Amino acid sequence: MLNRKKMVAIGMIFMAITSFAKAKYVFYFIGDGMGAGQRQITEEYQRTVLKNGDKLLVNSLPVAGITTTYSADTLITDSAASGTALATGYKTNNGYVAKDANGNNLTTILELARSKGMATGIVTTTRLTHATPAVFVSHNINRDNENEIAEDYVKSGVDYFAGGGYRHFTGKDSDSKSKRKDSRDLVKEFENKGYMTFIGEDSAQGFEKWKPAAGQKVFAAFQSSHMPYSIDEKSKNLPSLKMMTEKGIELLSQDKDGFFMMIEGGRIDHASHAQDVQGTIYDTLALDEAVKKAYDFYEKYPEDTLIVVAADHETGGMGLGFGNNYFMNLDQLKNVKVSIEDTLQNAYTGDREAYFKYLAVNMGLSDLTQEEKNRIIKGMDLEDKKETKDSSQLYGGYSPTAIAVAHIVSERAGMQWTTFAHTGTQVPLSAIGKDAERFGGFKDNTDIAKAIAESMGMSLD
Ligand SMILES: [Zn+2]
């Protein structure tokens, strides 16, 4: 016969075993737009051009899976619908933020982690209110309602925010870059709730020097909109994804209940939209560097740490191979020094000679063929005549000169793109650590959040 005392003791042992068996430190990396092509070309560039190791860390983790990406209403998802699947375990329509297709709120794994007392963090290279971070913290029928999404953040209780996009938080009276329509100053509201805040480029140094202490809460947004592309980053001196991840680990790991942190490489997607092969490679490398920080942490706490590296969809239809040949030429890319979207796109001002000089210095194009020059001149003609709007099918809404250059660079490297939007293909996933084997194999994108919840000892049902 078991007496009450014995039963309590057995129960306590059972609870100790089951709680021991949960992932205490959870890293959820999302490469936005990071399909198989993006991962492969980045690894090839690292191996053959940078000569910096054979493999990306994300391609070396012991558990690998493949994930579907489609949303409730289309095979070609957007980041809100696929992010909702990755954050809540449910499909929804494109554009919806952690709401089901009927508009009901869905519980996110970050909310579950918080309800369990875990510390939580959101890190991204995009605006913090962009779709992928938003689906973990906010609920909205439209991803473009970024001011409303920002208001949800103030109420969220999340311990650590780091990324870009202060324009949806600063008051319009105090900041000319503010996009708020009301008179609220959400940065002040964060401060009133006890958050330390780091706002704007000038706060980068303070952030670098900051030594995270237990119990601190932080809201850091270094740019009014997105953080710079990694390829443009050196000139800006802002915290990298790696540094934002590292500070997050230092802060959140001081919570005795463990932590859940979502870290997004958000501009892999933007680069691939703009058909910017070198921008894509550099932002994928930056994500890999951030994963290394989590991996270092995993090595200290292998029994308690889970790292999942997922993607929400592929962007651009990045095809490794072009024309009729079996060799790529990634060496061609090593003299590409600026991003297509943020930098090259602003470089053509009507002075054709100056632009061709710019291409020689910044894009490695000192030996353009006449055929290549003609393609760029066609773009210049359209821009000079301001006929760029009609050409959105051909140039995706970007500057025609910049896209002409992007295509020349891509083809010289031996690859091309199929779309300025996303594609409906499956994407790779990698994992290591506590319960990592749950993530192997072919999965629907809704399975990932459910498996992470279970690893944390909870359920999204
Ligand atoms: Zn996208």
Side-chain angles (χ1 to χ4, degrees):
M1 265 297 276
L2 288 174
N3 64 27
R4 211 184 117 72
K5 244 185 180 168
K6 273 186 184 156
M7 281 176 69
V8 169
I10 290 167
M12 280 172 70
I13 291 164
F14 180 73
M15 275 169 61
I17 290 168
T18 50
S19 73
F20 177 70
K22 285 165 197 159
K24 183 178 180 188
Y25 308 115
V26 179
F27 293 91
Y28 198 0
F29 287 91
I30 299 180
D32 199 315
M34 189 173 71
Q38 281 79 3
R39 283 169 72 142
Q40 188 67 50
I41 197 170
T42 303
E43 181 164 287
E44 185 73 357
Y45 188 82
Q46 174 176 281
R47 188 176 72 82
T48 63
V49 182
L50 300 177
K51 302 198 189 321
N52 185 24
D54 282 349
K55 281 190 144 319
L56 294 181
L57 177 58
V58 296
N59 289 347
S60 320
L61 301 181
V63 176
I66 297 179
T67 322
T68 63
T69 63
Y70 63 88
S71 68
D73 59 342
T74 163
L75 183 68
I76 303 175
T77 190
D78 82 321
S79 293
S82 55
T84 296
L86 292 175
T88 73
Y90 289 89
K91 298 259 187 216
T92 193
N93 296 335
N94 281 12
Y96 288 29
V97 173
K99 293 229 183 221
D100 69 17
N102 298 315
N104 303 309
N105 285 0
L106 295 163
T107 303
T108 79
I109 41 179
L110 180 141
E111 291 166 347
L112 275 189
R114 257 187 63 69
S115 73
K116 200 188 162 203
M118 295 167 83
T120 53
I122 291 285
V123 177
T124 181
T125 49
T126 67
R127 294 193 294 275
L128 281 157
T129 49
H130 216 238
T132 307
V135 296
F136 285 86
V137 186
S138 176
H139 304 272
N140 205 294
I141 209 74
N142 184 351
R143 61 180 286 178
D144 293 335
N145 292 335
E146 290 186 60
N147 288 331
E148 289 175 15
I149 289 167
E151 289 157 27
D152 283 350
Y153 283 25
V154 181
K155 289 182 284 190
S156 70
V158 170
D159 300 278
Y160 178 68
F161 289 101
Y166 62 75
R167 69 190 201 186
H168 299 288
F169 296 89
T170 48
K172 69 174 168 23
D173 303 327
S174 56
D175 174 25
S176 61
K177 288 182 177 156
S178 174
K179 294 275 179 190
R180 295 203 62 81
K181 307 252 183 299
D182 56 21
S183 56
R184 284 178 73 174
D185 182 336
L186 302 186
V187 176
K188 281 239 164 64
E189 292 184 28
F190 268 122
E191 285 167 357
N192 291 341
K193 283 177 180 268
Y195 280 75
M196 292 174 72
T197 59
F198 297 92
I199 305 299
E201 294 82 348
D202 297 344
S203 68
Q205 271 199 334
F207 181 78
E208 233 168 276
K209 286 192 194 128
W210 165 53
K211 294 254 180 296
Q216 284 178 324
K217 282 178 174 272
V218 168
F219 178 80
F222 302 103
Q223 294 273 275
S224 65
S225 184
H226 306 304
M227 297 295 280
Y229 281 109
S230 298
I231 193 171
D232 293 333
E233 205 170 60
K234 281 179 211 79
S235 56
K236 311 260 161 110
N237 242 336
L238 289 169
S240 62
L241 187 60
K242 174 174 125 182
M243 184 193 285
M244 295 192 288
T245 302
E246 192 174 16
K247 295 280 188 191
I249 294 170
E250 285 172 26
L251 176 65
L252 303 179
S253 63
Q254 298 186 48
D255 190 308
K256 64 177 182 3
D257 300 307
F259 64 79
F260 170 87
M261 182 158 37
M262 192 290 292
I263 300 135
E264 186 201 18
R267 304 208 74 193
I268 300 165
D269 170 67
H270 297 175
S272 288
H273 275 285
Q275 313 204 324
D276 178 351
V277 52
Q278 187 72 330
T280 300
I281 288 170
Y282 270 81
D283 268 54
T284 305
L285 286 171
L287 181 68
D288 206 53
E289 289 289 313
V291 175
K292 276 181 196 140
K293 287 288 155 191
Y295 187 81
D296 291 345
F297 185 84
Y298 156 81
E299 287 195 306
K300 278 189 229 152
Y301 307 101
E303 302 296 326
D304 296 322
T305 305
L306 169 65
I307 303 174
V308 176
V309 184
D312 51 357
H313 53 74
E314 196 275 343
T315 303
M318 185 187 231
L320 306 191
F322 176 70
N324 186 10
N325 89 74
Y326 286 86
F327 296 93
M328 296 192 76
N329 179 19
L330 300 188
D331 258 340
Q332 170 69 37
L333 297 172
K334 69 179 177 219
N335 294 320
V336 175
K337 295 176 189 148
V338 298
S339 73
I340 300 288
E341 184 187 18
D342 285 0
T343 305
L344 180 69
Q345 201 170 216
N346 306 318
Y348 179 61
T349 55
D351 182 339
R352 296 184 177 203
E353 205 180 318
Y355 189 70
F356 282 116
K357 275 190 192 140
Y358 183 91
L359 295 183
V361 174
N362 293 291
M363 302 301 291
L365 296 175
S366 52
D367 56 345
L368 286 164
T369 65
Q370 195 55 49
E371 187 269 338
E372 288 171 332
K373 269 191 183 157
N374 289 346
R375 288 160 70 181
I376 297 168
I377 288 168
K378 193 173 157 200
M380 291 168 162
D381 289 344
L382 286 167
E383 285 182 47
D384 289 353
K385 284 186 257 164
K386 309 237 180 308
E387 281 176 7
T388 50
K389 281 222 172 67
D390 300 333
S391 57
S392 75
Q393 198 61 25
L394 270 180
Y395 300 105
Y398 298 96
S399 123
T401 52
I403 293 302
V405 172
H407 286 174
I408 291 164
V409 169
S410 296
E411 289 169 16
R412 282 180 169 218
M415 52 84 62
Q416 252 299 5
W417 310 81
T418 66
T419 175
F420 290 101
H422 303 164
T423 63
T425 60
Q426 302 150 9
V427 290
L429 174 143
S430 309
I432 188 170
K434 182 77 208 157
D435 272 356
E437 58 286 353
R438 281 180 200 269
F439 299 88
F442 189 96
K443 296 238 184 302
D444 189 60
N445 60 357
T446 55
D447 295 333
I448 313 304
K450 287 176 189 156
I452 292 178
E454 280 166 27
S455 301
M456 295 191 297
M458 287 175 290
S459 166
L460 282 164
D461 293 336

